[in-house]
Amino acid sequence: ISGTSQTSKLTTNNTPVTATQTITIYNPSASITPSTKDVIATENHEISCVLTDIPSQISGVLWAPATDITNEYTLEDGTISGTSQTSKLTISAAKLVSLKSTSATQTFSCKITVGTRYSKPDFWRALGSCNGHN
């Protein structure tokens, strides 16, 4: 076809596009009750740490200064029920005798890490993919 041209134009109809996300906010905490207890060194001793307001099962609950060592310490993460989970530390009677020889008073604490940790490059990569960038 000679002498004829056609122009195409892309138009938008000012149509809004919306996406939404509903979030549930958690504020995890840990507690050991009672905070002080007298124990007898001839019996194994169990300490429970109640983790509350958590959205899912926590793995790798840390107990300081204990690590999972046969015949000394036994660490259990526990199982989530609703939004709480009870982790347990069992200290063997033999370990209690050993600890008493160092000091009659010992302090144990439980710890969880919440959230996602990124190295700087991974953080920026994750942030970019959240915004639709790579």
Side-chain angles (χ1 to χ4, degrees):
I1 303 174
S2 157
T4 305
S5 65
Q6 181 179 2
T7 305
S8 296
K9 184 177 180 185
L10 179 62
T11 60
T12 57
N13 296 333
N14 294 327
T15 304
V17 177
T18 304
T20 61
Q21 179 181 57
T22 301
I23 63 171
T24 302
I25 301 169
Y26 293 89
N27 187 22
S29 65
S31 63
I32 298 174
T33 305
S35 59
T36 303
K37 182 158 178 101
D38 296 329
V39 298
I40 299 171
T42 58
E43 301 172 356
N44 292 351
H45 179 63
E46 184 178 278
I47 303 172
S48 295
C49 177
V50 179
L51 310 169
T52 57
D53 203 21
I54 55 174
S56 60
Q57 176 78 30
I58 301 290
S59 297
V61 177
L62 300 175
W63 285 88
T67 56
D68 207 349
I69 300 173
T70 304
N71 298 323
E72 290 188 9
Y73 299 112
T74 303
L75 285 64
E76 299 175 37
D77 287 336
T79 304
I80 193 161
S81 177
T83 59
S84 67
Q85 175 179 332
T86 301
S87 174
K88 294 180 182 174
L89 167 66
T90 303
I91 309 166
S92 72
K95 185 62 179 179
L96 289 171
V97 169
S98 170
L99 290 170
K100 186 173 182 346
S101 70
T102 307
S103 173
T105 302
Q106 301 289 324
T107 301
F108 293 90
S109 59
C110 67
K111 175 183 173 182
I112 61 171
T113 301
V114 295
T116 304
R117 292 181 177 204
Y118 291 104
S119 65
K120 255 187 186 171
D122 290 340
F123 171 78
W124 290 110
R125 231 183 330 271
L127 182 62
S129 62
C130 287
N131 291 325
H133 301 95
N134 291 326

